[in-house]
Amino acid sequence: MIVLIDNGHGRDTAGKRSPDGRLSEWEWTRQIARALCSRLQRRGIDARLLVPEDEDVPLRQRAARANAVAGPAILVSIHANAAGMGRWMSASGWCAFVAPAAGLEARRLACLLASEAESAGLFVRRQECDRDYWEHPWAICRLTRCPAVLTENCFMDNHADCQWMLSTKGKETIISLHETAILHYLGLHPGAGGQSVGSPGAGD
Ligand SMILES: [Zn+2]
């Protein structure tokens, strides 16, 4: 099984940063994606970065890369969320998305990711109270043939979330929740290490 790790946007994408400019989504998601990819590789998993470049790669091209992979694969696309007004906002927390037409395997992967996020102490946002993930036709999920999940790893325009996302503990929590969920998905056992707790937006 090939594990494709996607990172949102690119160095040349306008906006997509925290109001104070300390967190750029393209850069932060690449840090997380690269660390996650090498951790999975160290465990012997065929993990690959879908977009190793710093520049943005159009979504159709990303999907074409994923669809050109030979053999069974899954895809996880790592993003940072924003309420999007260009100033500090109150929305906070973590969530996972699948395409509305997603199959059972994408939904299983999304549930595993959400469950690890919750175990790590994150507030998991829900679109519907009885479902751990959201449905939305994001191109990267909609256009890829393999099971694909997009994760929004807290809000870069929520001050508390942003501080936490930039912290070593925050990054470690995000990396390891993806690592553990992917290992579970593949039927492997995470073993020792990598367990972190953290709660962004405490008090929200
Ligand atoms: Zn994004």
Side-chain angles (χ1 to χ4, degrees):
M1 177 76 74
I2 297 159
V3 178
L4 297 168
I5 308 295
D6 182 39
N7 30 227
H9 320 286
R11 185 169 51 197
D12 42 344
T13 310
K16 304 280 184 190
R17 60 185 59 228
S18 61
D20 60 3
R22 290 174 67 217
L23 192 160
S24 290
E25 186 175 1
W26 74 270
E27 190 176 27
W28 187 84
T29 59
R30 274 164 180 72
Q31 261 187 43
I32 301 292
R34 285 168 186 165
L36 172 61
C37 200
S38 50
R39 286 221 203 153
L40 292 168
Q41 287 167 351
R42 265 183 264 137
R43 291 181 180 273
I45 292 163
D46 186 356
R48 304 177 193 177
L49 286 174
L50 189 68
V51 179
E53 304 96 324
D54 281 350
E55 292 70 35
D56 195 12
V57 170
L59 291 163
R60 284 189 180 277
Q61 202 176 323
R62 291 179 191 237
R65 285 183 187 182
N67 291 339
V69 159
I74 57 170
L75 182 145
V76 179
S77 183
I78 294 171
H79 285 252
N81 216 341
M85 302 298 286
R87 54 189 161 87
W88 296 115
M89 303 292 285
S90 61
S92 71
W94 185 98
C95 56
F97 290 86
V98 301
L104 289 176
E105 286 303 291
R107 292 168 196 273
R108 183 166 79 85
L109 178 56
C111 285
L112 289 167
L113 285 159
S115 152
E116 288 305 319
E118 204 143 65
S119 303
L122 296 181
F123 166 58
V124 174
R125 298 166 63 85
R126 287 176 170 83
Q127 186 178 29
E128 288 171 17
C129 61
D130 58 348
R131 205 177 60 203
D132 291 347
Y133 54 85
W134 296 52
E135 287 184 358
H136 188 84
W138 299 120
I140 196 67
C141 297
R142 182 170 45 89
L143 302 174
T144 48
R145 282 193 288 269
C146 68
V149 178
L150 182 149
T151 60
E152 291 282 8
N153 296 282
C154 302
F155 282 72
M156 58 187 164
D157 60 359
N158 173 289
H159 195 260
D161 273 17
C162 183
Q163 293 279 99
W164 180 83
M165 291 162 82
L166 288 167
S167 71
T168 306
K169 187 177 171 183
K171 288 177 192 172
E172 171 56 35
T173 302
I174 298 293
I175 295 161
S176 66
L177 82 84
H178 285 83
E179 182 186 16
T180 307
I182 290 166
L183 290 170
H184 281 311
Y185 179 88
L186 298 173
L188 303 169
H189 294 286
Q195 190 166 1
S196 308
V197 287
S199 179
D204 274 4

